Amino acid sequence: MARAHHSLLAAFFLLLSLSALPFLTMAASPSMSPGCGKGPTLRNGQTVNTNVNGKSRQYTLRLPDNYNQNTPYRLIFLWHQLGGSAQKIIQGENPNQGGLLPYYGLPPLDTNKSAIYVVPQGLNAGWANQNGEDVTFFDNMLQSVSDGLCIDTNLVFSTGFSYGGAMSFSLACSRPSKVRAVAVLSGGLLSGCAAGGNDPVAYYAQHGTADSVLNVSGGRQLRDRQKPFCKVVSM
């Protein structure tokens, strides 16, 4: 299937976020969030309701087993496709028929249990990011999780499929100081590239050449925006 998500990406992105690649380990030590050393105010499986620009927003958390308040965890945002939902990211969607694995297939690869996952729910099941409201939602989630749990604020990542990939690209543009790397799966310039986009962010992309929903040319457009900052490698 042209738009299928495969475990290759899950393996690559986990390696990107968890390995000791030089460009991801520039910091000598973790940057501990305000929630480190404190009892957690958020829990595994919790769906958090928040207000962004007068609109009710929701996101769900997955914490490692035996969460330790003194361990700075990596934080990974997982954005759903148009018409999808946070619940479908959590449960997976037709994984045996070329669909999505739960949490994009990442948790089973994290044998060290070193990551916390944030799964947001989009307005109208998408990420139009009108007037930057979805980036503001990201800011809200990042602040809340940083305050309520122990994370390494130098190791914040984002990935998503289709519209979710577009949202991850938008964060690479607008929040390069907040996200360490993004992985864009069959994305396009749908969620904007607000103010910025000129700072380096580690970037991985994959896109089916026969994609009939978002043409591969859109994925190449995003890739070319990142070219000045990256060594381009074909896979």
Side-chain angles (χ1 to χ4, degrees):
M1 293 184 181
R3 313 203 83 224
H5 169 75
H6 297 288
S7 58
L8 173 63
L9 181 277
F12 182 91
F13 191 71
L14 193 78
L15 288 172
L16 185 67
S17 61
L18 305 183
S19 69
L21 296 177
F23 64 91
L24 289 181
T25 55
M26 293 180 288
S29 59
S31 176
M32 311 282 277
S33 74
C36 292
K38 303 175 183 177
T41 60
L42 300 168
R43 66 182 186 277
N44 184 46
Q46 180 179 358
T47 296
V48 179
N49 292 283
T50 187
N51 187 286
V52 179
N53 297 341
K55 298 178 182 179
S56 178
R57 307 300 301 265
Q58 299 81 34
Y59 62 95
T60 302
L61 294 163
R62 176 181 171 130
L63 276 61
D65 296 335
N66 301 316
Y67 167 84
N68 186 326
Q69 66 190 35
N70 298 309
T71 298
Y73 292 91
R74 293 159 174 82
L75 187 65
I76 304 178
F77 287 82
L78 308 175
W79 308 84
H80 63 73
Q81 66 194 46
L82 178 64
S85 67
Q87 198 60 32
K88 288 180 179 178
I89 295 295
I90 292 166
Q91 295 181 343
E93 187 175 9
N94 300 321
N96 297 321
Q97 299 177 19
L100 299 174
L101 297 171
Y103 296 94
Y104 287 119
L106 295 174
L109 302 174
D110 181 14
T111 56
N112 293 325
K113 309 297 182 186
S114 61
I116 292 170
Y117 301 91
V118 179
V119 188
Q121 175 63 47
L123 292 173
N124 301 313
W127 307 105
N129 194 29
Q130 185 175 4
N131 298 318
E133 63 185 348
D134 289 322
V135 172
T136 302
F137 182 31
F138 165 80
D139 293 338
N140 183 299
M141 291 184 286
L142 180 58
Q143 186 64 59
S144 177
V145 175
S146 296
D147 290 342
L149 298 170
C150 186
I151 68 165
D152 183 346
T153 59
N154 284 331
L155 296 177
V156 177
F157 305 91
S158 179
T159 189
F161 172 61
S162 194
Y163 222 153
M167 188 60 208
S168 291
F169 179 81
S170 183
L171 293 177
C173 285
S174 59
R175 295 295 183 268
S177 65
K178 300 295 184 181
V179 294
R180 193 64 171 271
V182 301
V184 177
L185 317 179
S186 299
L189 191 56
L190 305 174
S191 303
C193 185
N198 300 312
D199 297 310
V201 173
Y203 185 81
Y204 169 79
Q206 68 180 46
H207 205 122
T209 56
D211 194 326
S212 61
V213 179
L214 289 178
N215 191 273
V216 69
S217 62
R220 288 169 177 156
Q221 179 187 9
L222 304 190
R223 175 203 65 190
D224 292 344
R225 182 68 183 258
Q226 293 297 316
K227 265 185 177 179
F229 312 126
C230 301
K231 178 182 178 181
V232 179
V233 177
S234 296
M235 297 180 65

